[in-house]
Amino acid sequence: MTVIPRRVETPDGVTLAVYERGEPGRPTVVAVHGYPDNHAVWDAAADLLAEDFHVVSYDVRGAGESDKPGGVAAYRMPHLVADFLAVADAVSPDEPVHVLAHDWGSIQAWGALLDPSTAGRIASLSSISGPSLDYAGAWLRDLPRHPRSRLAQLARSYYIGLFQVPGLGELAVRTGVLDRITRLTSARHRSARAVVGEPPRSEADKLNGIALYRANMLGAATRPAPVATGVPVHVIVPRDDAFVSRQVAVDAPRRWVERLTVTDVAGGHWVVSQRPDVIARLTREFIEGLPAGRPARGSAAQHRGDHAGRFVVVTGGGRGIGRATALEFARKGADVLIADIDDVAAKDTVSDLHELGVRAWAAHLDVSDVDAWERFALTVRDEHGVPDVLVNNAGIGMGGTFLRTSAADWGRIINVNLWSVIHGSRLFAAQMVERGQGGRIVNVASAAAFSPSLIYPAYATTKAAVLMLTECLTAELASEGIAVTAVCPGFIDSDISASTEHVGVDAETAAALRAHQVEAYHRRGYPPAKVARQLVAAATANAPLVVITPEAKVLRAVSRFAPGLGRRIARIDLNRF
C-alpha cells in the first residue's frame, strides 16, 4: 500500500515525514522505527494493523524523508521526545495513543513514556528489542552482584562503543561492514515464514543515525534516572536477538513498570520486518485486552512456576507417565489438556489437575486415527489456542519375536507409537510456526530406542524411529524457536507393563508373561512421577535428549561405545528372569 506522507513540524523546526493508515476515528497506534531503518520497516505490520486501528509511522529525525539536522546535540533524547509528542498531537490530538516501537524506536518510546511532558498521551507501549536507557543503566550498575548477565549484555553491545569513536562508525557504514553485520544477524535466525527481503536502508539513514548513540548512550549509562510508570507495557522478546538480551529487556524494567506483560517470539533482532504478521497480532491482542485488564498469555505476573500461564497438551495423559507429566506441569503453573482414548481415566486426571488450581480439560483421542488427529488439532486451536508444549506420550507395549509378530501387529504398534508422534508433531508444530512464538514438543521414546531386543523388536523399532524423528525435528524447527525433546525412560513401574500385548502365543501364556513383566517392573520400583520430574525439567531447559533411570543410561552408553556387547545382550530372553 502506497501512503503519501504529511509533514509535521517539531518545536526546534525539524519537519518529520508522517505516514497514516486506517480510519482516524479508531484507536491510534504510533509505530517508531529503529536504526538503521526508516518508517518502511513497519509497512507490512502497519497494513495488517490498519484493519482495526488508525496506524501512524514516521521517519525519525535524520532518517527517510524527514529533515536531517546537523550536529550530535540535535539527536538528544529531549528532542526525540518532543518529536514523538508533535506526531502524537498531530494525528490524535484528543486521545492518547498506543505505541509500537523497535530498537532505537523503543529507546525513544521509553524516553517519551517516562517524560513528564507526555503524561496522559500514551495509552500503552509495545516494545521490541530496545530497553529504556535509564532502566538499562540502573540494571547495569548492579554488575558487582550479578556480573554474568551484565557482562553478557555489554558484549552484545560492542558496536555502541565503536560508534563513540569519531569516524569509526562512519567507516563501518561506507565500507559495508555495518551491512554485513545486519545481513548476518537477519539471516541467522530467520523463520521459514519470514518475509523475504529487508526494508530499504539508505546510506544517509545509517550515517545520521550514529548520532543517536553519541548523543544519548554514555549519559544514560553513567547517570541513569529511572522512574516508575503505571502505563501498560508489553515487552516482546525475540528469542535469538543478537544485540538485546532477554535479561535487560525484561529484568531491567520489572522493578519500575507496574503493568508489565512479556511475550517471547521466535526470531532475531529484525523480527519486525521478518514476521510482521506475528508482531501485528501480538500488538492487536495486547491493546484489545487492555480495557478489561486482561494480560496476554505469557505475562510473567499471572501465575507461579516455571510454566506459569502456559498451555500444555499431553496425549495418553490418563495414566502412567502421561498422568504424572500432566500433574508436574500443573505444579509448575501450566494449564493442561489431557487427550486419551480412555475417557474415564482422562477425566480422573483432570479432577486431580483442578485441585492444583490450574485449568484443565479432557478430550477423547484415538492417536492411531489420522482423521481424529486432524479434528483434534483444529478443536484445540479454536477452543484453547496453540499449545506452548505438546507431549507425545501415548503408546503401547508389544512383546514377541519378529517371526511371531504379524503384519496386523506391526500396523497396530506403528500406528500408536510412531504415527501418533508424527501426526501430533506435524499438526501442532505447524500451529506453533504459524503463531511465531516458538514452543516445545516432547516425544516419549524409551531405552529400547537404542537397545535391540530379541523379544521386543516391534516396540524397540518404533521407539528408535521416535528418537530419530525427534533428532530430525530438532534440526528443522530450531530456527522457529521450537525445542524438541526425546525422553527415554528405562524400566518404569507404570500401567504399560500390565497392558503390553504379547503376540504369537496363546492367551494363557500372554497373561503369564504380562504378570511376570508387572512383577519385574514393580520390583524395579521406579515410579512415573520421577520420570515426569525429569521430563518437565528437560522441557524447561530445552534439552534435546533426556535418558532416565540408571539402566537406561547404561544401555545408552553400551549402544554408543560397545555396540557388539549390546548385540549380545539383545539375544537374552528377559522373560526368563
Side-chain angles (χ1 to χ4, degrees), residues 481-517:
I482 301 172
V484 190
T485 300
V487 178
C488 295
F491 303 125
I492 308 302
D493 185 15
S494 72
D495 296 81
I496 196 170
S497 60
S499 60
T500 294
E501 298 181 46
H502 292 271
V503 300
V505 296
D506 59 45
E508 184 179 350
T509 302
L513 289 171
R514 274 195 299 274
H516 171 79
Q517 188 177 35

Side-chain angles (χ1 to χ4, degrees), residues 17-19 21 31-44 46 56-68 100-105 108 198-206 208-209 212 270 272-273:
V18 179
Y19 303 77
R21 293 171 171 83
V32 192
H33 69 81
Y35 175 83
D37 295 316
N38 54 55
H39 82 279
V41 75
W42 292 115
D43 283 353
V56 177
S57 57
Y58 67 98
D59 292 322
V60 304
R61 60 174 57 204
E65 298 301 317
S66 291
D67 286 352
K68 301 166 177 59
L100 171 61
H102 171 248
D103 186 75
W104 251 100
Q108 296 180 50
E198 298 296 335
R201 299 176 175 118
S202 72
E203 183 173 281
D205 293 346
K206 300 166 191 173
N208 294 328
L212 294 168
W270 309 106
V272 295
S273 57

Side-chain angles (χ1 to χ4, degrees), residues 356-489:
L356 293 173
V358 301
R359 295 182 300 170
W361 307 269
H364 181 86
L365 177 64
D366 177 356
V367 297
S368 68
D369 184 342
V370 61
D371 292 331
W373 264 111
E374 297 277 358
R375 293 190 299 270
F376 173 71
L378 290 174
T379 299
V380 169
R381 185 197 64 188
D382 294 343
E383 295 184 1
H384 306 286
V386 178
D388 299 294
V389 184
L390 167 67
V391 182
N392 284 310
N393 165 76
I396 60 174
M398 183 173 289
T401 61
F402 175 76
L403 293 179
R404 289 184 174 180
T405 306
S406 69
D409 296 330
W410 276 102
R412 192 161 56 255
I413 194 169
I414 289 173
N415 282 341
V416 175
N417 286 12
L418 177 56
W419 271 113
S420 71
V421 177
I422 294 172
H423 295 321
S425 299
R426 174 177 60 87
L427 294 166
F428 284 110
Q431 291 185 13
M432 292 175 183
V433 171
E434 176 72 22
R435 181 180 64 166
Q437 293 176 236
R440 296 178 173 93
I441 297 173
V442 181
N443 297 327
V444 178
S446 169
F450 37 77
S451 178
S453 171
L454 169 72
I455 59 173
Y456 294 107
Y459 182 77
T461 298
T462 58
K463 292 301 185 179
V466 168
L467 180 58
M468 179 52 69
L469 173 64
T470 302
E471 297 283 0
C472 295
L473 292 176
T474 297
E476 179 174 344
L477 298 177
S479 63
E480 306 293 348
I482 301 172
V484 190
T485 300
V487 178
C488 295

Side-chain angles (χ1 to χ4, degrees), residues 186-195 266-268 274-275 433 436 479-480:
S186 294
R188 185 176 178 185
H189 301 293
R190 176 178 289 155
S191 162
R193 292 183 56 83
V195 175
Q274 293 177 348
R275 291 300 306 270
V433 171
S479 63
E480 306 293 348

Side-chain angles (χ1 to χ4, degrees), residues 164-176:
Q164 305 304 315
V165 180
L168 193 56
E170 289 82 352
L171 182 64
V173 171
R174 293 191 172 102
T175 58

